[in-house]
């Protein structure tokens, strides 16, 4: 995925479009849901009209995000202030953590693993004729 490749050394990300496959993606969906859930929970009038099972779902969204077993009013307020389109200062992306933990010698296997996962999961029917899991990963110029 692009989120990982963008953090690789230059030789692994320049002039290679092999791994770019067009598809739609709503990258801010999780934070939008978080904010929406928090706002619904904060509003006493709307909260009174939300069915119990929906309330449990909204609370579960926040508890999962904050990795807690119980919500506090402070956490709900914090979630309501999240701006999905602005970077959060205390947030470190999953991709930063994954790529930061990769040994440089493991990058090619990592990319090929994601290519295989893409094929198995998405089962694409219209890939370019020469697309292959085993196509080169690094730029041959070494940049």
């Amino acid at each position: 995925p692009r989120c990982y490749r963008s953090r690789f050394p230059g030789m692994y990300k320049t002039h290679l479009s092999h791994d770019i496959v067009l598809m739609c993606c709503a990258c801010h969906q999780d934070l939008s849901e978080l904010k929406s859930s928090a706002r619904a929970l904060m509003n006493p009038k709307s909260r009174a009209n939300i069915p119990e099972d929906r309330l449990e779902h909204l609370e579960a969204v926040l508890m999962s995000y904050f990795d807690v077993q119980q919500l506090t009013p402070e956490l709900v307020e914090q979630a309501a202030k999240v701006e999905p389109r602005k970077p959060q200062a205390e947030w470190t992306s999953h991709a930063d953590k994954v790529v930061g933990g990769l040994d440089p010698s493991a990058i090619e296997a990592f990319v090929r693993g994601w290519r295989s996962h893409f094929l198995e999961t998405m089962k694409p029917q219209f890939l370019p004729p020469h697309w292959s899991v085993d196509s080169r990963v690094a730029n041959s110029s070494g940049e």
Side-chain angles (χ1 to χ4, degrees):
R2 182 174 185 265
C3 64
Y4 299 131
R5 186 176 291 275
S6 67
R7 289 158 174 84
F8 289 167
M11 67 186 288
Y12 292 102
K13 61 183 178 180
T14 56
H15 306 295
L16 285 178
S17 60
H18 182 79
D19 294 314
I20 299 172
V21 180
L22 299 177
M23 61 179 61
C24 62
C25 177
C27 63
H28 70 281
Q29 181 177 358
D30 289 343
L31 288 179
S32 294
E33 183 182 8
L34 177 75
K35 183 174 185 167
S36 176
S37 297
R39 292 178 66 146
L41 292 170
M42 285 180 69
N43 185 333
K45 286 183 182 179
S46 68
R47 186 180 175 119
N49 296 320
I50 299 174
E52 189 62 35
D53 60 332
R54 179 68 181 153
L55 279 175
E56 289 174 8
H57 171 75
L58 297 174
E59 291 171 349
V61 168
L62 273 67
M63 288 188 292
S64 173
Y65 178 81
F66 290 112
D67 195 24
V68 296
Q69 298 297 314
Q70 189 168 1
L71 281 179
T72 64
E74 293 79 20
L75 289 177
V76 175
E77 188 174 328
Q78 183 180 343
K81 292 179 181 177
V82 163
E83 288 299 327
R85 295 177 188 226
K86 293 182 182 175
Q88 305 298 307
E90 69 282 351
W91 183 75
T92 302
S93 78
H94 167 78
D96 282 332
K97 292 177 184 177
V98 169
V99 174
L102 275 178
D103 185 281
S105 64
I107 292 176
E108 290 201 20
F110 180 78
V111 171
R112 288 192 172 105
W114 272 105
R115 288 176 181 170
S116 293
H117 176 73
F118 170 74
L119 287 178
E120 294 164 10
T121 305
M122 301 303 292
K123 301 185 185 343
Q125 298 177 29
F126 304 104
L127 287 173
H130 300 292
W131 194 94
S132 168
V133 167
D134 296 319
S135 290
R136 68 184 172 94
V137 174
N139 183 334
S140 59
S141 69
E143 291 178 15

